[in-house]
Amino acid sequence: QLLDERAKSFLELDSEKFYRMNPYAILRLCEKFLELGLPLNAFNYLEVFLDDEAWLSPIFECYLSALFASEKFDLFLNKIKHLKKEDKTVSVCLIEAQVYERLGEYELSIQSARAAIGISPTYPYAWHLLLHASRSKGLDKDELKSIVQNKRNN
């Protein structure tokens, strides 16, 4: 709680010093905020560095993680809408799949999980999300097995 208060006061009271900080140091700080369960601090610190159509960078990906962890799903979707499919990373696709799953948009979650698999076919969490969203959509056990067997055959 004290860390949360100090982070907020630093951002508010010493904004000039904040803007002069090395972006790498801010990125590492925001990653620590996420690890400590303080995603709103990461969101507030990173938001000032990004415009509406930010390019995909480590800072932008950390910002997207902060949005997800803060359950700012609409803002997350708004911030990634300018990204082309081929520009999305595995990380972005996986967060997108989780956002859609939380919103009950299982078909969109499946599409995002498949996009992550397309980028990194051996990444187990992408497969987990695909199967989870497919099950949530109502696929039965045989249909889920078919998804996995089709992977083996490809």
Side-chain angles (χ1 to χ4, degrees):
Q1 195 173 31
L2 181 61
L3 177 62
D4 184 45
E5 290 171 14
R6 286 192 177 178
K8 287 176 187 173
S9 67
F10 175 72
L11 187 59
E12 294 166 2
L13 298 176
D14 210 347
S15 60
E16 215 173 283
K17 186 175 183 180
F18 173 74
Y19 288 117
R20 288 193 313 263
M21 286 180 65
N22 182 331
Y24 180 78
I26 292 173
L27 174 63
R28 293 293 163 242
L29 175 64
C30 291
E31 289 171 342
K32 291 295 179 192
F33 283 148
L34 289 173
E35 289 174 19
L36 294 170
L38 299 169
L40 287 174
N41 289 57
F43 166 77
N44 290 330
Y45 272 54
L46 295 171
E47 183 178 43
V48 298
F49 289 103
L50 302 167
D51 63 19
D52 288 337
E53 293 193 5
W55 57 280
L56 207 50
S57 66
I59 288 178
F60 187 58
E61 286 196 32
C62 186
Y63 176 73
L64 293 176
S65 294
L67 289 175
F68 176 71
S70 301
E71 297 187 359
K72 294 179 177 286
F73 301 143
D74 290 339
L75 186 55
F76 172 88
L77 294 172
N78 187 46
K79 292 294 183 180
I80 66 164
K81 70 182 178 187
H82 73 281
L83 296 175
K84 295 176 185 162
K85 183 181 177 180
E86 60 271 11
D87 292 338
K88 292 181 182 177
T89 62
V90 171
S91 174
V92 171
C93 291
L94 291 175
I95 297 171
E96 182 181 38
Q98 292 173 84
V99 165
Y100 283 132
E101 189 273 332
R102 292 265 181 95
L103 295 172
E105 298 285 346
Y106 301 118
E107 188 57 42
L108 293 173
S109 180
I110 290 167
Q111 289 174 20
S112 297
R114 287 189 184 280
I117 291 166
I119 297 167
S120 183
T122 59
Y123 193 60
Y125 188 61
W127 283 98
H128 169 77
L129 276 175
L130 174 62
L131 294 172
H132 177 76
S134 298
R135 187 178 71 199
S136 297
K137 183 182 172 196
L139 270 61
D140 65 26
K141 191 175 180 178
D142 290 333
E143 291 168 311
L144 295 174
K145 283 181 183 178
S146 167
I147 291 171
V148 175
Q149 288 171 343
N150 285 340
K151 193 285 188 211
R152 282 190 203 155
N153 295 334
N154 292 333

